[in-house]
Amino acid sequence: MSDLLRAERILRVGGYSVRVHVRSARTAVILTSVILIALLVSLCIGTIPVSPADLFGTLTGDASASTMRSVWGRRMPRALTALLVGAGLAMSGAVFQSLSRNPLGSPDIIGFTTGAATGAVAQIVLFGGGVLETAAAAVAGGIVTALVVYALARRDGVSGGIRLVLVGIGVGAAMSALSALLLVRADINDATVAQVWSSGSLTGRGWAHAWTLLAVLGILAPLLAACVRNISFIEMGDDAAQALGVAVERRRLQALLLAVIAAAIAVAAAGPIAFVAFAAPQIARRISPAPGVQLGVSALTGGLLLLLADLLAANLDVGLRTPVGLVTSLLGGVYLLSLLARRI
């Protein structure tokens, strides 16, 4: 009990109180500091390097017009979009891994991001690739896929666990096949646009993407945070959660839909970015081993991972603009193999 009291603090504001895990708070501060450093580096490094003095000049308005355009018109919104997309995917992954009680239960592995990507590909191939239309189709595809997985995984009024993961993997494979079929039958120009989008990229992302993500995640994050307590009870098992008065299936469906929307809006903004939702919550648990769902630390970890991956993708000299989704797939594959190597 004394160790628990030392590990946690209660913050009271008026009639409200919040329990804060000390180690998680320290980890969040460190991650935030690293993110700020990575953000400054991403603003300085590029095709046209920006010195720290010039970067400071952009804050005071003393920099040249070209430097202002480069920093504020292109690099800053792209970096913020990377942070927000990574945070949205990581929060979604943290919720799904807790609900399924399985580290493989992330939206990119159990098919929800694949469903969102298939919705976007269908919009591009069948109806045209407008930005808003493609984003809306991605969100709709993710939600429909989630409802199908939930319905198929539900048995005797109960869903979740390994069944949710296995059904999700199967549905994700079917959606991936449908996406491939659409690409094969599409016009060459539409297929090219859809293929580039499906690779996952932050190229060309501007302030409209950053502000939209900030608005949506600003609503979703508090709603997900409100679900954390019930999710933590469900993670102990359905029977234990019901004994504590939790309406398990209703709370599970509520959390699932919120997590799907978080993942789908991230996919809508940047395409299907692989392995961030899978890796970020696990890394967060390793660096901040606190009980319950590490929603905040996971969000910071996911944002940092995608920002660093995009920094690598934007400056990787292979003769073309490397989509960040390919970089995260490569790094995520290595991370998964390292986990398997340690456990086998």
Side-chain angles (χ1 to χ4, degrees), residues 231-244:
I231 295 172
S232 298
F233 290 148
I234 294 173
E235 193 174 7
M236 297 187 299
D238 290 2
D239 293 339
Q242 288 175 350
L244 292 170

Side-chain angles (χ1 to χ4, degrees), residues 120-136:
V121 169
Q123 172 65 37
I124 293 171
V125 170
L126 300 177
F127 306 105
V131 175
L132 293 178
E133 293 84 356
T134 301

Side-chain angles (χ1 to χ4, degrees), residues 4 24 45 71 149 178 182 209 243 272 277-278 289 297 310 322:
L4 181 62
S24 296
I45 296 178
V71 172
V149 170
L178 176 59
L182 289 170
H209 298 88
F278 167 72
V297 176
D310 186 53
T322 307

Side-chain angles (χ1 to χ4, degrees), residues 121 124-125 179-180 183 189-200 323:
V121 169
I124 293 171
V125 170
S179 180
L183 289 175
N189 294 322
D190 291 336
T192 301
V193 173
Q195 186 62 51
V196 170
W197 187 90
S198 298
S199 298

Side-chain angles (χ1 to χ4, degrees), residues 20 229 323:
V20 177
R229 183 169 178 269

Side-chain angles (χ1 to χ4, degrees), residues 34-225:
V34 177
I35 286 173
L36 291 176
I37 294 171
L39 180 61
L40 293 175
V41 171
S42 69
L43 296 179
C44 291
I45 296 178
T47 306
I48 302 175
V50 176
S51 67
D54 289 337
L55 181 60
F56 180 77
T58 63
L59 301 177
T60 60
D62 294 334
S64 64
S66 60
T67 301
M68 295 287 288
R69 286 195 301 270
S70 179
V71 172
W72 292 105
R74 291 189 293 273
R75 297 182 188 181
M76 179 65 82
R78 175 170 174 159
L80 292 178
T81 300
L83 286 171
L84 292 168
V85 168
L89 290 173
M91 288 191 295
S92 180
V95 170
F96 276 116
Q97 288 176 15
S98 293
L99 287 177
S100 63
R101 298 189 290 276
N102 192 309
L104 293 178
S106 63
D108 46 358
I109 291 180
I110 61 177
F112 296 140
T113 56
T114 304
T118 301
V121 169
Q123 172 65 37
I124 293 171
V125 170
L126 300 177
F127 306 105
V131 175
L132 293 178
E133 293 84 356
T134 301
V139 174
I143 293 175
V144 170
T145 302
L147 293 176
V148 170
V149 170
Y150 179 81
L152 294 177
R154 187 181 174 92
R155 174 178 289 180
D156 298 328
V158 178
S159 63
I162 189 63
R163 182 175 175 81
L164 180 67
V165 175
L166 295 177
V167 171
I169 291 174
V171 173
M175 298 302 290
S176 181
L178 176 59
S179 180
L181 178 62
L182 289 170
L183 289 175
V184 168
R185 298 179 60 86
D187 175 78
I188 185 64
N189 294 322
D190 291 336
T192 301
V193 173
Q195 186 62 51
V196 170
W197 187 90
S198 298
S199 298
S201 177
L202 292 164
T203 301
R205 299 309 185 264
W207 285 109
H209 298 88
W211 286 121
T212 301
L213 282 166
L214 184 62
V216 176
L217 294 180
I219 297 172
L220 288 177
L223 295 177
L224 285 170

Side-chain angles (χ1 to χ4, degrees), residues 89 97 104 106-109 113 272-283 305 325-337:
L89 290 173
Q97 288 176 15
L104 293 178
S106 63
D108 46 358
I109 291 180
T113 56
I273 306 293
F275 281 106
V276 173
F278 167 72
Q282 296 189 39
I283 295 174
L305 287 178
L326 299 183
V327 175
T328 58
S329 295
L330 176 61
L331 297 178
V334 172
Y335 175 74
L336 178 58
L337 290 174

